[in-house]
Structure formats: C-alpha cells, structure tokens
Amino acid sequence: MTKPRALLSVFDKCGIADFARGLVDMGCEIVSTGGTHSAIQDAGVQARKISEITGFPEILGGRVKTLHPAVHGGLLARRDTATDQSTIDEMGIAPIQVLACNLYPFASTLSAGRSQTEVIEQIDIGGPAMIRSAAKNAESVYVVVDPQDYGEVLEALGNDNGAELRQRLAAKAFEHTSVYDSVIAAYLRGQVGEPLPAELALPMTKIQNLRYGENPHQSYAAFYAFGTPDLEPHGLASAKHLHGPDLSYNNVLDAAAAWEMVNDFDQPAVAVIKHGNPCGFAVGGGAQEEIYRRAYEGDTVSIFGGIVATNRPLTVEMAKAMRGVLLHVIIAPDFDSEALKILRRRKQARILKGPMDPIPPAETKLPLSSMQIQSVPGGFLVQSPDHVMPNRLVTTVVSDRKPSEEQMLQLRFAWRTIRHVKSNAIVLAKESSLVGVGAGQMSRVDSVFMALHRAGDRASGSALASDAFFPFPDGPELALEAGVEAIIEPGGSKGDAEVIEVVNRYGGVLVFTNGERHFRH
C-alpha cells in the first residue's frame, strides 16, 4: 500500500521540523522544496525533494518549482471519483493528503523599504496555487497555512476524524491568499497612483475578538489591523495593552478618536473623549498636569467614564492629577514607571501605550492603509483622510474689526480642533483649550447653544469655530451676545452678508476659511 504523502513548502519554518517528524511517525512520506527540505533534513527527518516527484529541477531562480501536474494532480484528484483515480494511477501521480505552505514575505519586504525588484520577487506564485488547489479539495486534503495549526492536524490525522477541521483550514487558506493578493494589488495600485480601483479588496488581520459590538445583543465584533501578520501594524492597531480589561468595541472607537486628536498637534496635548467627541482638549507648553487640568475643565462632568490621551510620555504628576476621575481608557506614547504604578491601581482602566504616528509611513506604498473606510448597508464608503496642514490654511478677514494676534492664534486652534468633532460642530476656544463643544446637532444654531451652555461664563472672550458656514445670522448673534469675540467659518453661504452685518454690529471679528470645511459624520 502506498504511503500517504505530505508536501511541505514554507517560508516561515517555525515548527516545521517537528511537524514533519510527527507526520513520519504516522507513516507519511514527506516531500519538500528548497529551504524547507534543508530544514527538515538538518533536523534528522527524511524527506524527498520536489524535483524527484516532478522530474524537473527548480528553474528561473526558484520562480518555477511546484507548478506541475505531479503536484496539482496529487492535490486536486477526487478520491471518490473513479476517473480521477484512474487518471493519476495511469500517470503515476500519488495523492497528497497534507499540504503545509505559507508564503513569501511580500508585505515585510515592502515595509522594509527594499527596491522594487526585490519586492516583486517576493510575489509568491507557486505557493498560492498549491494552497488554492488543496483548499478546493478540502474533502480529502489538509491545507495548513499557519504553524499554529500543526498540532491540531497531527491530532486529527491520528484520530482519522478531520472533516470539520479540513473545512476550517480551507476557509483559512482562501482568506490567507486573498489577504496576500490584496496587499500586492494595493502596492501595484500605489505605483500608478490609483488607490481606489473598480474592485477593492481589503487586507485585514484580526488583532482580537471583542465581547460584542456597540450593544450586547450585537454578538459579533472584532478589531482588525490593516495588512498581513508580517506587516507591522500602525496607528491604534499597534498600541500595546499594558493593563486593564479587554477593550470593547466602543473603547476602540473612542480610543481612536482620542489618539487621532492628540496626534494632530506637535505641541504637548491632552484630549478627553466621550462617545466619539471631545469634551475637553488643551495644548501648549508648561507642565503636563496643567494641560490636563485645562482639558478636564472643558467638561468636568462628561469626563467621567471617558477616555484620556496625551501625545507625550505620561508623568507622575499627571497620573496624580487624574485621581478621583473614572476613566475607561488612558493612552500615551509611554509612561513614567511611577506613573504606571499609580495607574495600574485602576482595576477597570485600560492603559494603552500607543505610538504617535497617525499617518502610515510613506515607504509602505500602500495608500489604501491611510484611507478612511465606513460601512453602510450593502457596502462601504472610502475616502482620503481629512488631514490638512495648518500652514496651508488660507483665511480672509471679512469683518470691520481685525483680529489680534492672540485672537488669530485661538481661531486657528479652534479650526484645527473642530475636525475632530461630529457635525454639526461648534467649538469655543480660550487659552488653547476647548471651553465649549456643540456636536452632532441637526441645527447649527442648536450646536451653538450647546457649546455656550457647556462654556458658561468662559464663553466671554472666547473664539468660535464652525465646521461649515452659518446659513443664517442667528448662530453668530447668539454667540456674540454671550461674549464670544471672534468667529471662524468657511463662508460661502447665501446669508454671508447678513452674518457679516451682525458681527460688525456687535464689534466682533469674523474670519472666512475661503470654503474649507470640516464635516465629520
């Protein structure tokens, strides 16, 4: 009786020698390629070279070695189909029961900044072809693309009971090749400046399962990173979870908003996020705990149960300043050792160490990785991110009164901050801190009312930003009556003349951004 055959051809050789030894102990014949064959032989496990099976040597510098009927016939032949069996018997092809195959490191070669020639050589051809052949014939073939699955395959072979496992491995195999191919496609699109093709594949790797979605009855939820396992994740996906319970779906959304906000500023910054919107934010020099205090004072009630992020290593003084405030997530690029000891006393707080790199490195050449993707029923929306460099902002003063240097500083701060607030958005700024926020209202004047309500007496002397133009003068008038001194907005409304007239009547400052707006839905 012919021995069952296993074909091993892996780039990641972790555990492959022990897997091969286990297969041999079960009576399997091992066939392997190039470096895999050497690794198995060096471990004292006998294996045949692939060229002994195909009758051909590896050619074209290794580009062709497994593209042969002896390989794909052995993988694809249906065991319960008489014509298939007679065909492979006639051609002297042995069926292959196990395929272990993982692919050339295309993504990591790309992220390492290698030349285009080197990157192209890491496009695996034979590997995906074998994986797909084996997965198609999962009724009879175990296809293993992940070394973590070797043990489970050996156990199933020993029990001769692996039908369900073969189906799961086949699904995993097709997912593996799909993600691999999508990274290659994204790279090639980037080479010709085409980030959004007619057919779009998203390469994603699961970081972790989440207990549920936004609400407990939404049973399925997970956090995915852009790219493949061998591509270093960026952004919030690369944050290290140092302490606290597992992240929830809502934790990730709020943490992302906080992380993005502090990363938008070169100056030291502290953001407080609640339900996707900033309820406090401050930047500037001075002690970190003082910046936190100004952010905290933006809304001393809503911060409870919120998320705090800073773009500088978190100090002992800031850790002490946060005492007494319930926080669900705390994010910083690093933590003083003593600060971390203090924060670890919070049993329910998730502590994340997150890098300060909001935009993926340019050398990845995967423009899709920096795109924003939003699901809608039946599809997805994809757009480039709202990243606007502050030195590119062009403004026009349209009021009779000209802004002072300090007023212009606060207007620019408010304008840069407002892109992190859900539309319709209004923010009030003072001393490079948010003192009032109005978010997510259907009416812009309602957002003004909300921001003024949050600010209270602090509205006096503040600067106001509106993410889109004021269609009517009611919003600006409400703000000016409360003591707001300067307003920045895109302009371009049919009601601009009325808005300008109201601002001039109150002796305020009005600056247009010449059409630039910052909707955030």
Short mmCIF file of all heavy atoms in Angstrom, two decimals, residues 93 129 157 163 224 235 278 302 318 479:
data_model
loop_
_atom_site.label_atom_id
_atom_site.label_comp_id
_atom_site.label_asym_id
_atom_site.label_seq_id
_atom_site.Cartn_x
_atom_site.Cartn_y
_atom_site.Cartn_z
N ILE A 93 0.89 9.53 -10.53
CA ILE A 93 0.80 10.64 -9.59
C ILE A 93 0.23 10.13 -8.27
O ILE A 93 -0.84 9.51 -8.24
CB ILE A 93 -0.09 11.77 -10.13
CG1 ILE A 93 0.52 12.36 -11.40
CG2 ILE A 93 -0.31 12.86 -9.08
CD1 ILE A 93 -0.38 13.37 -12.10
N ALA A 129 -0.95 28.97 -5.56
CA ALA A 129 -1.58 27.98 -6.45
C ALA A 129 -1.77 26.65 -5.73
O ALA A 129 -2.84 26.02 -5.81
CB ALA A 129 -0.71 27.78 -7.69
N LEU A 157 -5.23 13.64 12.23
CA LEU A 157 -4.73 12.52 11.44
C LEU A 157 -4.66 11.25 12.28
O LEU A 157 -4.98 10.16 11.82
CB LEU A 157 -3.35 12.85 10.87
CG LEU A 157 -3.31 13.83 9.70
CD1 LEU A 157 -1.88 14.30 9.46
CD2 LEU A 157 -3.88 13.19 8.45
N ALA A 163 -12.87 15.93 9.16
CA ALA A 163 -13.68 16.56 8.11
C ALA A 163 -13.96 18.03 8.43
O ALA A 163 -13.77 18.92 7.59
CB ALA A 163 -14.99 15.80 7.92
N TYR A 224 -9.58 44.61 13.77
CA TYR A 224 -8.66 44.17 12.72
C TYR A 224 -7.62 45.26 12.44
O TYR A 224 -7.93 46.46 12.50
CB TYR A 224 -9.40 43.86 11.42
CG TYR A 224 -10.18 42.58 11.43
CD1 TYR A 224 -11.44 42.51 12.00
CD2 TYR A 224 -9.66 41.41 10.88
CE1 TYR A 224 -12.18 41.32 12.02
CE2 TYR A 224 -10.38 40.23 10.88
CZ TYR A 224 -11.64 40.19 11.45
OH TYR A 224 -12.35 39.02 11.46
N GLY A 235 -0.73 52.93 13.71
CA GLY A 235 -1.86 53.59 14.34
C GLY A 235 -2.28 52.89 15.63
O GLY A 235 -1.48 52.22 16.30
N PRO A 278 -14.81 65.15 21.52
CA PRO A 278 -14.01 65.72 22.60
C PRO A 278 -14.89 66.53 23.56
O PRO A 278 -15.64 67.39 23.13
CB PRO A 278 -13.02 66.63 21.87
CG PRO A 278 -13.70 67.01 20.60
CD PRO A 278 -14.56 65.83 20.23
N SER A 302 -18.77 65.38 32.03
CA SER A 302 -18.77 64.35 30.97
C SER A 302 -17.50 63.53 30.94
O SER A 302 -17.49 62.43 30.38
CB SER A 302 -18.99 65.01 29.60
OG SER A 302 -20.24 65.65 29.55
N MET A 318 0.81 64.00 36.21
CA MET A 318 -0.48 63.87 35.52
C MET A 318 -1.26 62.69 36.07
O MET A 318 -2.49 62.76 36.23
CB MET A 318 -0.27 63.72 34.01
CG MET A 318 -1.60 63.58 33.25
SD MET A 318 -1.43 63.76 31.47
CE MET A 318 -3.01 63.13 30.90
N ALA A 479 -23.96 83.67 19.83
CA ALA A 479 -22.60 83.58 20.38
C ALA A 479 -22.08 84.94 20.81
O ALA A 479 -21.49 85.09 21.90
CB ALA A 479 -21.67 82.95 19.35
#
